[in-house]
Amino acid sequence: MPPTVLPPPIPISEPIFSRIALSISGGGFRAAAYGLGTLNTLYLLGVLDNVHMLSTISGGTFTGAYYALRRKEGATFEQIYEEFYRFLDADSLLPDATTRWQNTIGKKHSNYKIIRAFADIYHEQLFGKNTFDVFWQADKPDIDPFRLQTIIFGATELYSGLAFRFQYSTLPEAQFVTEGGVLREWFFIGNGNVHIPHARARELRLADIVASSSCFPVGFEALNLPADFPTDNPVPMPFLSGNNATVGIDSLAIIDGGVYDNQGIEGLLLANRRNKTFLQSKQAEAIPTEKKGPMQPSTLFLVADVASADMGIYPADTTPPARTGRSLTQWLKKGRTLVWVAALVVLIGILLTVTLRVGGFLGGFLIGIALIVGLAAWGVGHVWNMLMSRLKGDIPALFPLVLPPFMHLTIKQLWYLLDVRLKTAKALLLSVFLRRVRSLNYGLLYNDDDTDVNDNAPTPDVIASIIGGVLRDVDKPKYRSDLILLMPIIKEAGSMDTTLWWLAEKNKMNAVIASAEITLPWRIKRLIASKEKVANDAGKVFALLPEDAEVFRRATLIFEAFRLANDKNQPVTYYPAFRLKPTMKSLISNSLITPAQLIEAAKE
């Protein structure tokens, strides 16, 4: 009998989770809580220390900056989790910031932007009054070494309309000389069009960097660098271009990073290329091999993205209201009539008081009513004139064409048109625009070819841990039975507004955290299944490396625990309040533990 011929195995390289490039998307407190759940899952999977790059945007920057700071200070993840969970749960950010703002408004020469009040609260209550310089300080000898090789906090600048990245990297030299003999920074605090020197960036308060990353338009004012970034350095802030030439500006307006890249993907791709370029440079030759480890290309890109899969983002307009009531022109004429009537009443009041000596009460009453009506009419007219003057200046050619028909609309019709414009603008900015930007950034991630760097490194894996992705998967028949029991948690998390507070939605916080702890294990299971399919289709044997097999075991355990805990048909394990806690790590690391035992431990 001839021997059995086995198919060739797939070539084994590094473990999938060796070096993780993690991004935490924007999305207010929903993103902050989702980021916390993602970090907790990575910790319980045993690979959190393998995160060598971290990129955050807007709400995700709260979690990322706090995690990076506290790890730098030597805190354990269990401490970090409990501290940040308490911060989210307290939900005191909005009342504390508005109280600070109210106290600031009355002070002479005060900076009364509301975003400044928020930044001051971040500085005092969350980031321990630390500056960005904290990441450049040497590790303390009695704590675990700081493992993040690259940190990127993303914002958007309004000089050239590109991402403005507040970056830290462990590259041993801040500057290098190009082949053309130009002295350049290895990485910009900013971008290639406008950046600031590393030394000046290190003076900035960490809280102000977080505030700029989460300074979403309309909700907050733009932050101006350097005026809105208080430091002790009186020297003017220099703004430089990519070749270190001076940019002719004195200040730079910075807003929310989600406007440009709400997933923080592009920064990670650039950082990977930067590291590859550095490792091939002469400067890298003198560096010990063990220090080059974190600079090696990422083996996994993990995107913690709170994007939802909402449909019906803008319901179609109802039938416009019929023409009923007075037109705007008629109301303005009515207003002019009221002014004349008010003037007449004032005159009558004066005559009654002075000539007929009726008494102070009646005369004063008439005069008071007349003044109130007259001032109101004058105020409306004054505002109207200011608005018309502004429109004439901004759109002089369009103004005479638009105004005549505009004036003949009724108040109800005008309100309808304004309502439609506001709703479509909201849908455009918060849904259509962000979805388009998201698709472009994911396109960069999945199609990155690194043609500017000559190497033979394998293509990194990608896990997009998206709430909306699970909602799409449940509609596929082969996944429905696995996911259907978890849909209440996922849908509740996806319905949370993207604001920097909970308020009425405080009850959704645990659901958002849990949604990350469900989604990441599910995506890991999907990744491994796809690799098995590729191998089988190619007639090859697929085998996980021991490190990856352990991660897969833990991911399966966590996912099954959530599924059983939400199955009403399993009364022994049914426990919808099930939550993962960092203290469960030793339990999860036990290869003999079962989902039921994990659920039981959560009850304690």
Side-chain angles (χ1 to χ4, degrees):
M1 182 176 180
T4 302
V5 179
L6 297 174
I10 292 224
I12 295 176
S13 57
E14 289 186 280
I16 298 169
F17 301 92
S18 294
R19 287 178 301 280
I20 303 172
L22 170 64
S23 68
I24 306 177
S25 78
F29 264 24
R30 187 168 86 181
Y34 195 84
L36 182 63
T38 299
L39 292 174
N40 188 37
T41 308
L42 290 170
Y43 177 72
L44 295 174
L45 293 173
V47 293
L48 182 57
D49 283 342
N50 294 358
V51 175
H52 74 138
M53 291 188 177
L54 177 64
S55 174
T56 67
I57 299 291
S58 194
T61 301
F62 282 88
T63 308
Y66 190 80
Y67 166 74
L69 169 65
R70 295 294 286 127
R71 285 303 288 261
K72 180 66 179 180
E73 292 176 334
T76 66
F77 181 74
E78 291 184 12
Q79 291 174 312
I80 297 170
Y81 181 92
E82 291 302 324
E83 292 166 359
F84 197 73
Y85 184 93
R86 285 198 300 269
F87 163 74
L88 292 176
D89 189 53
D91 197 24
S92 62
L93 184 56
L94 180 61
D96 289 350
T98 51
T99 299
R100 173 65 61 88
W101 185 47
Q102 182 178 359
N103 294 336
T104 303
I105 290 174
K107 296 180 180 178
K108 191 175 182 180
H109 305 304
S110 65
N111 188 328
Y112 54 84
K113 289 182 177 180
I114 191 169
I115 186 63
R116 288 292 319 126
F118 273 78
D120 288 341
I121 294 299
Y122 305 160
H123 185 60
E124 295 169 4
Q125 297 185 8
L126 194 59
F127 297 107
K129 299 184 178 181
N130 278 285
T131 64
F132 200 29
D133 182 62
V134 67
F135 296 115
W136 276 268
Q137 299 304 309
D139 289 343
K140 298 176 182 178
D142 56 338
I143 64 174
D144 290 338
F146 188 60
R147 300 182 185 277
L148 288 173
Q149 188 272 331
T150 292
I151 303 173
I152 306 168
F153 303 134
T156 304
E157 49 87 0
L158 298 182
Y159 171 73
S160 61
L162 297 178
F164 191 93
R165 299 184 179 96
F166 295 93
Q167 304 186 74
Y168 157 81
S169 180
T170 57
L171 296 179
E173 296 183 17
Q175 296 176 320
F176 73 105
V177 179
T178 66
E179 294 181 359
V182 178
L183 184 67
R184 293 189 60 180
E185 308 277 6
W186 271 111
F187 58 95
F188 293 136
I189 309 291
N191 56 55
N193 288 339
V194 56
H195 68 275
I196 60 177
H198 289 185
R200 296 305 301 272
R202 292 166 64 171
E203 299 169 354
L204 303 179
R205 303 190 317 182
L206 188 55
D208 295 326
I209 292 173
V210 174
S212 65
S213 179
S214 57
C215 183
F216 53 89
V218 182
F220 289 120
E221 313 86 357
L223 279 164
N224 290 329
L225 183 67
D228 294 329
F229 291 75
T231 68
D232 295 328
N233 192 341
V235 178
M237 178 75 72
F239 293 99
L240 309 172
S241 64
N243 60 2
N244 283 345
T246 300
V247 178
I249 58 175
D250 297 322
S251 64
L252 182 69
I254 300 178
I255 59 173
D256 192 293
V259 174
Y260 185 85
D261 176 6
N262 198 45
Q263 284 65 48
I265 291 172
E266 188 180 70
L268 290 177
L269 294 173
L270 292 174
N272 253 292
R273 295 178 190 179
R274 177 173 67 234
N275 284 348
K276 292 179 183 179
T277 301
F278 175 78
L279 290 174
Q280 295 173 6
S281 68
K282 293 182 179 179
Q283 288 91 334
E285 293 177 1
I287 299 174
T289 303
E290 63 273 10
K291 289 190 176 181
K292 295 180 183 179
M295 302 175 195
Q296 298 295 328
S298 302
T299 58
L300 174 69
F301 280 89
L302 172 57
V303 185
D305 189 354
V306 297
S308 62
D310 295 338
M311 299 298 175
I313 57 176
Y314 176 72
D317 299 329
T318 56
T319 304
R323 182 179 178 81
T324 58
R326 295 185 178 93
S327 69
L328 186 58
T329 300
Q330 291 171 327
W331 274 109
L332 290 175
K333 289 180 179 178
K334 194 78 172 177
R336 285 196 292 269
T337 303
L338 286 173
V339 172
W340 284 111
V341 170
L344 181 61
V345 172
V346 169
L347 180 60
I348 292 172
I350 293 173
L351 289 174
L352 287 173
T353 303
V354 177
T355 64
L356 301 181
R357 300 182 182 279
V358 172
F361 175 76
L362 179 59
F365 177 76
L366 291 173
I367 293 172
I369 293 296
L371 287 175
I372 291 172
V373 174
L375 286 172
W378 176 85
V380 171
H382 185 67
V383 171
W384 176 260
N385 289 333
M386 287 178 59
L387 179 61
M388 293 301 103
S389 298
R390 183 65 181 266
L391 288 175
K392 286 179 182 178
D394 291 344
I395 48 175
L398 187 62
F399 187 82
L401 299 175
V402 172
L403 186 61
F406 177 79
M407 295 293 292
H408 289 284
L409 292 170
T410 67
I411 299 297
K412 187 178 290 186
Q413 289 172 322
L414 286 168
W415 178 254
Y416 167 78
L417 294 179
L418 177 62
D419 185 56
V420 169
R421 280 164 172 76
L422 292 175
K423 287 179 179 177
T424 52
K426 179 182 178 183
L428 174 66
L429 291 173
L430 300 183
S431 296
V432 179
F433 175 73
L434 287 181
R435 287 186 182 189
R436 181 57 179 161
V437 171
R438 183 185 307 121
S439 65
L440 291 173
N441 286 319
Y442 277 113
L444 290 174
L445 179 58
Y446 285 104
N447 298 296
D448 180 48
D449 57 8
D450 269 3
T451 53
D452 58 331
V453 178
N454 182 21
D455 64 21
N456 297 312
T459 303
D461 287 298
V462 175
I463 293 179
S465 178
I466 312 175
I467 296 177
V470 176
L471 291 173
R472 286 190 294 270
D473 284 349
V474 75
D475 291 330
K476 300 172 183 177
K478 63 179 179 179
Y479 300 137
R480 188 168 181 79
S481 61
D482 287 329
L483 296 174
I484 190 63
L485 296 173
L486 302 171
M487 283 306 99
I489 298 174
I490 302 297
K491 288 181 178 179
E492 184 178 8
S495 68
M496 161 66 193
D497 283 338
T498 55
T499 52
L500 292 179
W501 46 81
W502 299 110
L503 296 182
E505 297 188 300
K506 177 75 170 294
N507 61 310
K508 297 182 180 180
M509 185 179 79
N510 285 333
V512 176
I513 295 174
S515 68
E517 297 166 345
I518 292 168
T519 304
L520 180 52
W522 171 250
R523 284 300 181 187
I524 291 174
K525 285 162 60 70
R526 288 285 312 276
L527 174 66
I528 301 305
S530 68
K531 287 180 171 291
E532 289 177 343
K533 186 177 184 304
V534 169
N536 293 335
D537 290 347
K540 295 182 179 180
V541 173
F542 176 77
L544 285 172
L545 293 172
E547 298 91 335
D548 293 334
E550 174 61 13
V551 173
F552 180 70
R553 182 194 68 79
R554 296 188 187 197
T556 303
L557 171 68
I558 291 171
F559 184 81
E560 287 302 311
F562 269 107
R563 200 173 65 83
L564 279 177
N566 288 275
D567 189 351
K568 294 181 180 179
N569 296 321
Q570 303 292 332
V572 175
T573 56
Y574 181 60
Y575 183 58
F578 175 73
R579 277 184 52 207
L580 289 179
K581 300 176 182 178
T583 52
M584 294 178 175
K585 185 177 182 181
S586 60
L587 191 65
I588 291 174
S589 64
N590 183 347
S591 60
L592 301 178
I593 199 71
T594 66
Q597 290 171 323
L598 196 60
I599 295 170
E600 203 57 37
K603 297 178 182 179
E604 298 176 358

